[in-house]
Amino acid sequence: YNTMQRAIMNISLPIEMVRELKQEAKADRFSSLSEFMRHVIRERRRDRLATELHEERRKILSGEIKLSKTLPR
């Protein structure tokens, strides 16, 4: 992500939420609130992908989805 061009996005948050985010970023030793927010977004993406993969695996194991016999198992 470091080589990508960046855009600035302004958001409105409750003051208390901003305080909490700043405290978390500092406690986790992020160099900036922006870096912390990028980390949070990456974690959310990773978690969403893991959930999707888990659901696909469940469907395969339950027989809801059939695997092609030409695919290696």
Side-chain angles (χ1 to χ4, degrees), residues 17-67:
M17 185 180 289
V18 172
R19 284 188 193 123
E20 290 171 7
L21 289 170
K22 285 180 177 180
Q23 288 174 352
E24 275 190 70
K26 185 177 181 179
D28 291 346
R29 297 187 172 157
F30 283 90
S31 60
S32 68
L33 188 54
S34 289
E35 186 58 37
F36 175 68
M37 295 309 298
R38 285 189 289 273
H39 171 76
V40 169
I41 292 166
R42 285 189 294 268
E43 278 191 330
R44 187 173 188 278
R45 286 178 176 172
R46 184 199 65 219
D47 291 349
R48 187 181 315 139
L49 179 59
T51 298
E52 290 172 8
L53 290 172
H54 177 76
E55 180 61 19
E56 291 300 311
R57 183 168 192 258
R58 184 198 64 74
K59 287 178 182 178
I60 290 167
L61 293 174
S62 72
E64 248 179 276
I65 294 177
K66 303 284 185 201
L67 290 178

Side-chain angles (χ1 to χ4, degrees), residues 4-12 34 38 41:
M4 292 182 170
Q5 289 184 323
R6 304 219 177 192
I8 295 173
M9 183 176 77
N10 293 309
I11 61 171
S12 175
S34 289
R38 285 189 289 273
I41 292 166

